[in-house]
Amino acid sequence: MHPEPSEPATGGAAELDCAQEPGVEESAGDHGSAGRGGCKEEINDPKEICVGSSDTSYHSQQKQSGDNGSGGHFAHPREDREDRGPRMTKSSLQKLCKQHKLYITPALNDTLYLHFKGFDRIENLEEYTGLRCLWLQSNGIQKIENLEAQTELRCLFLQMNLLRKIENLEPLQKLDALNLSNNYIKTIENLSCLPVLNTLQMAHNHLETVEDIQHLQECLRLCVLDLSHNKLSDPEILSILESMPDL
């Protein structure tokens, strides 16, 4: 015969636990509980609650890190952005020529549209020797450079960039119109090398004093000049403008 099944030992185990830890009832009594409340206090041990919350926090952190990707893929977003910055490469220039229905052969183009592209440097224009008009406005260009091959250029549009200095324009002996508005230029300089410069637009720059625009006296062919929205306030500026014969 099989032995009779014994009664569940739950109650006995509870009593045994309470008997093994007599300090629980005293602790419960300190908190205003008595009797069986000591066993309930043991079940709801704050240490167990603390462990549970840390496990939950750990899992939530794992989930969050999993949502953000693994392997540190996004560890250096600034470097990634720099690597993906648009460059004025030969291939990108050819793509823009196709987009604007220009010639694939660089030397055959007399106009090149490079505005609103996010370029921060002028480069790789050596093969575009026939350009007469170059659109470079609304980029992030910080320096006028690498225009040695554009000896036929008549119009250069560099407004809305990050230029701080007028420089490196000596090869552009046929330049007629120059737009440098909306930059950070503090001094008009290095323009006397342009013998046929007729139009100069310098609005929205950082010109302040007579010395900042004194170089205009050496630009004898200038007919159209825009100095609006600068910080010019000295009345002596008028004497500079009066000395320009063709203005």
Side-chain angles (χ1 to χ4, degrees), residues 184-203:
Y184 299 90
I185 299 171
K186 296 182 178 181
T187 305
I188 296 178
E189 57 186 340
N190 301 322
L191 293 179
S192 58
C193 62
L194 305 174
V196 296
L197 185 64
N198 180 277
T199 300
L200 176 63
Q201 293 173 283
M202 291 288 302

Side-chain angles (χ1 to χ4, degrees), residues 185 202-208 226-232:
I185 299 171
M202 291 288 302
H204 292 278
N205 276 281
H206 292 177
L207 305 174
E208 296 185 12
D226 186 1
L227 297 176
S228 60
H229 299 285
N230 279 278
K231 302 177 182 179
L232 299 168

Side-chain angles (χ1 to χ4, degrees), residues 68-81:
N68 292 333
S70 60
H73 183 67
F74 299 100
H76 304 286
R78 179 176 299 178
E79 293 181 1
D80 292 343
R81 285 197 298 270

Side-chain angles (χ1 to χ4, degrees), residues 22-146:
V24 174
E25 280 194 22
E26 295 177 3
S27 173
D30 294 338
H31 289 83
S33 302
R36 295 181 181 177
C39 297
K40 292 182 180 180
E41 188 70 24
E42 182 185 1
I43 294 173
N44 295 329
D45 190 349
K47 292 182 180 179
E48 294 181 0
I49 297 175
C50 181
V51 171
S53 62
S54 64
D55 289 343
T56 305
S57 175
Y58 173 76
H59 289 304
S60 65
Q61 289 178 0
Q62 277 194 330
K63 182 178 179 182
Q64 184 177 2
S65 62
D67 293 340
N68 292 333
S70 60
H73 183 67
F74 299 100
H76 304 286
R78 179 176 299 178
E79 293 181 1
D80 292 343
R81 285 197 298 270
E82 290 179 355
D83 293 340
R84 292 195 300 266
R87 293 285 302 274
M88 200 179 293
T89 62
K90 292 184 178 182
S91 59
S92 65
L93 291 173
Q94 285 191 343
K95 289 180 181 179
L96 290 171
C97 288
K98 290 181 180 180
Q99 178 181 341
H100 294 106
K101 298 181 180 180
L102 302 175
Y103 295 105
I104 300 301
T105 303
L108 297 179
N109 292 295
D110 59 3
T111 301
L112 193 57
Y113 302 103
L114 302 179
H115 52 301
F116 293 100
K117 301 302 177 185
F119 297 131
D120 61 358
R121 184 180 180 187
I122 304 172
E123 56 186 338
N124 294 312
L125 295 177
E126 296 83 5
E127 298 178 357
Y128 294 83
T129 55
L131 289 180
R132 291 173 175 259
C133 189
L134 180 56
W135 302 78
L136 288 168
Q137 74 268 26
S138 299
N139 284 289
I141 298 171
Q142 302 179 33
K143 184 178 181 180
I144 303 174
E145 60 183 342
N146 299 324

